Amino acid sequence: MKKLWGGRFEQEADALVERLGESVSFDARLAPWDIRGSIAHARMLGECAIISKRDAKKIIAGLKAIGKDIVSGDFTFDPALEDVHMNIETALTERIGDAGKRLHTGRSRNDQIATDVRMWARDQIDVIDGLLTGLQQAFVTFAESHNEAILPGCTHLQHGQPVLLAHHNLAYVEMFSRDAERFGQLRRRVNVMPLGSAAMAGTPYPIDRKRVARELEFDSVSANSMDAVSDRDFLIEFCANVALTMMHLSRFSEELILWSSPEFGFIEIGDAFTTGSSIMPQKKNPDVAELVRGKTGRVYGDLTALLTLMKGLPLAYNRDLQEDKEPAFDASDTVQLCLAVVARMIPAIAIDADAMARATERGFLEATDLADYLAARGLPFREAHAVVGKLVLHCTKKDLKLPCLSLEDLRRFSPLFNEDVLKIMAPEAIVRARDTIGGTAPRRVRAALSRARKRLFR
Ligand code: ARG
């Protein structure tokens, strides 16, 4: 065990304290960002004559070499050195001597870690943004491949009105495009540089924060040093955005699970995205969708962990903040994997358009249109609603479907029914009638699809 903290300590840390306190087992993955930040800091120290240009050069070369070794797997992280920062700084001094000890001038691990995590989050947002685009593309291509299919649209999971399957698919495109927008807005708040806040109060050295920010591609520098080192609201927001995306993925997964059950029989998910049973030979289970749904709960846990972590912390930095990383990493890894998997699974979904069409025959999907028909002929909608309600009750008792009724049957419920009513009950006609902005009429859906295609395939 090593003595880490210079002159103040006479004894080494207890073995359990090392185990409790080390973070390198999970923050080592921040090394690329840590090194990039340190290089920019060292260059600035040299430019501002806070350290010699010679030392700055040595530091930068040393850090680059360490970066390469980490990538090639030739670097061993030591938990006794606590975290990624101390591991890299210690290695640097071992390699280049005293110059390495000057890197930490005008800096603290507090502003260093806050900077690393913001750079990391920024890059994750960019990756997630690309994955969200890929997923939306998959939905659009899928929707285009079955332009005509109609299925029962549900409320309360009860048949409501027929809709185009493409319309249903495009609902998810809307959700994931809002998710992408949210991440884009968050990126602006993330991209503010804490470095230069030092431990919490700033630093007496004549540092040039803006120069470092430019090199590290930050849009601005933080305005308050105490806030900058101790705030993690950007990570909470990140996890909240991830949680929302997972929630959307989970709703879709739930539908795939339902639709692939024999009760629905609307789809079959390809072999590559399903699994068998170790005992029941006939089984083909939608495990991928189930796992995505399950992992959503785990990501909610990450969000809750961060919120709870932060709520009692006095200003400024507290070591509790070290616990921010695992939930954030987990949320990020999980959503990235799930987005990629679902985007690949969508083209492997085969639909049974006939089963969907047969389902539209159940559940009196024509009822709203019959009421609208009567309302258009002068009956107040509430009364029309009641008339059709009675019609549905009649059919239920006699085990009939609305389109099976003759004009005579219908007229017994209202004299306003005419010959033309028989034409409005086909699912195609019902769908075509919903020709408002955002409605399921084929013409509207085609336009929405082509707008989505233009936006997503550039
Ligand atoms: N590993 C620490 C973290 O993740 C780095 C900052 C340590 N700062 C301190 N004052 N002990 O938060």
Side-chain angles (χ1 to χ4, degrees):
M1 197 170 320
K2 300 184 175 81
K3 220 170 86 197
L4 266 183
W5 308 119
R8 171 72 177 76
F9 290 80
E10 291 181 328
Q11 292 168 5
E12 295 179 341
D14 184 270
L16 286 183
V17 170
E18 180 190 311
R19 244 177 74 196
L20 178 75
E22 72 83 22
S23 58
V24 72
S25 56
F26 50 86
D27 70 13
R29 69 192 276 172
L30 291 176
W33 293 276
D34 193 68
I35 288 174
R36 190 176 168 203
S38 289
I39 288 175
H41 180 69
R43 202 183 326 273
M44 180 278 293
L45 290 177
E47 296 286 330
C48 295
I50 297 167
I51 63 174
S52 73
K53 285 237 163 72
R54 243 189 98 240
D55 281 348
K57 252 192 167 157
K58 274 184 157 177
I59 292 172
I60 291 169
L63 286 169
K64 284 184 176 163
I66 290 172
K68 279 201 187 113
D69 288 352
I70 291 173
V71 170
S72 61
D74 295 330
F75 189 93
T76 328
F77 288 100
D78 178 0
L81 293 172
E82 219 177 88
D83 55 25
V84 63
H85 321 296
M86 298 305 289
N87 268 273
I88 290 172
E89 196 187 311
T90 306
L92 181 70
T93 301
E94 272 165 24
R95 291 179 188 206
I96 68 167
D98 276 356
K101 297 183 188 164
R102 298 189 196 280
L103 167 62
H104 213 50
T105 314
R107 181 178 83 166
S108 152
R109 282 185 299 157
N110 297 352
D111 59 346
Q112 189 179 353
I113 186 62
T115 303
D116 290 1
V117 173
R118 280 180 183 265
M119 284 195 282
W120 169 84
R122 178 177 79 181
D123 287 353
Q124 304 317 300
I125 287 172
D126 293 342
V127 173
I128 292 169
D129 185 63
L131 290 167
L132 281 166
T133 300
L135 179 64
Q136 291 176 77
Q137 289 172 335
F139 271 111
V140 166
T141 304
F142 185 65
E144 286 168 346
S145 71
H146 51 65
N147 252 330
E148 305 299 315
I150 294 179
L151 78 164
C154 288
T155 63
H156 317 269
L157 200 56
Q158 304 286 326
H159 287 192
Q161 292 158 348
V163 291
L164 289 183
L165 176 57
H167 192 56
H168 190 113
N169 297 152
L170 282 172
Y172 284 100
V173 173
E174 292 294 317
M175 294 178 228
F176 291 114
S177 105
R178 281 197 299 280
D179 290 340
E181 190 182 307
R182 252 188 295 275
F183 277 108
Q185 291 162 346
L186 171 60
R187 195 188 194 284
R188 293 203 294 276
R189 279 188 290 284
V190 168
N191 206 24
V192 177
M193 188 188 77
L195 205 60
S197 304
M200 62 154 167
T203 171
Y205 294 96
I207 58 172
D208 183 349
R209 296 187 68 199
K210 290 188 175 160
R211 187 185 194 294
V212 179
R214 265 197 307 281
E215 174 165 344
L216 297 178
E217 295 174 278
F218 281 103
D219 298 326
S220 59
V221 299
S222 56
N224 181 294
S225 58
M226 297 184 80
D227 173 48
V229 294
S230 69
D231 144 71
R232 295 292 183 271
D233 59 6
F234 70 95
L235 271 190
I236 295 179
E237 252 191 281
F238 177 77
C239 285
N241 287 359
V242 169
L244 283 172
T245 298
M246 289 299 298
M247 179 272 289
H248 289 147
L249 283 173
S250 184
R251 293 187 72 185
F252 179 60
S253 300
E254 170 69 10
E255 294 201 316
L256 296 184
I257 294 160
L258 287 172
W259 287 5
S260 60
S261 72
E263 283 69 25
F264 279 82
F266 288 178
I267 59 168
E268 187 178 340
I269 305 172
D271 289 0
F273 298 90
T274 47
T275 49
S277 155
S278 56
I279 170 167
M280 297 167 281
Q282 84 282 15
K283 293 281 277 189
K284 192 172 171 193
N285 294 327
D287 289 32
V288 170
E290 290 169 311
L291 283 165
V292 170
R293 187 176 60 181
K295 282 178 190 291
T296 302
R298 156 192 184 129
V299 166
Y300 291 0
D302 294 328
L303 172 61
T304 307
L306 285 189
L307 283 165
T308 313
L309 173 68
M310 294 303 294
K311 72 183 273 288
L313 297 188
L315 291 183
Y317 180 86
N318 299 270
R319 188 63 180 278
D320 315 45
L321 289 174
Q322 182 163 295
E323 292 290 311
D324 63 353
K325 281 159 214 67
E326 285 162 294
F329 293 164
D330 181 68
S332 182
D333 294 346
T334 304
V335 77
Q336 289 180 34
L337 180 59
C338 291
L339 283 169
V341 168
V342 173
R344 286 157 74 102
M345 177 167 59
I346 289 173
I349 298 171
I351 72 156
D352 186 341
D354 293 334
M356 291 182 181
R358 280 196 302 280
T360 64
E361 293 166 13
R362 296 194 302 272
F364 306 104
L365 298 182
E366 311 82 2
T368 312
D369 290 67
L370 286 182
D372 289 339
Y373 176 95
L374 295 174
R377 274 147 196 82
L379 198 62
F381 182 78
R382 273 289 150 248
E383 285 177 35
H385 184 286
V387 169
V388 179
K390 281 183 197 134
L391 258 169
V392 169
L393 186 63
H394 168 76
C395 288
T396 309
K397 285 182 175 158
K398 303 251 146 130
D399 197 18
L400 293 168
K401 291 170 181 167
L402 286 168
C404 303
L405 299 178
S406 67
L407 186 55
E408 264 167 39
D409 297 334
L410 289 169
R411 274 184 194 275
R412 252 182 275 132
F413 290 83
S414 168
L416 291 173
F417 283 122
N418 271 315
E419 196 72 50
D420 56 353
V421 72
L422 302 173
K423 290 198 305 266
I424 67 158
M425 285 190 277
E428 293 74 17
I430 298 174
V431 166
R432 216 180 308 118
R434 276 155 179 77
D435 191 13
T436 45
I437 297 173
T440 191
R443 168 179 105 81
R444 298 284 182 178
V445 173
R446 269 196 302 277
L449 261 178
S450 86
R451 276 196 305 276
R453 173 159 279 282
K454 257 198 215 113
R455 176 171 68 79
L456 293 162
F457 294 83
R458 280 189 286 223

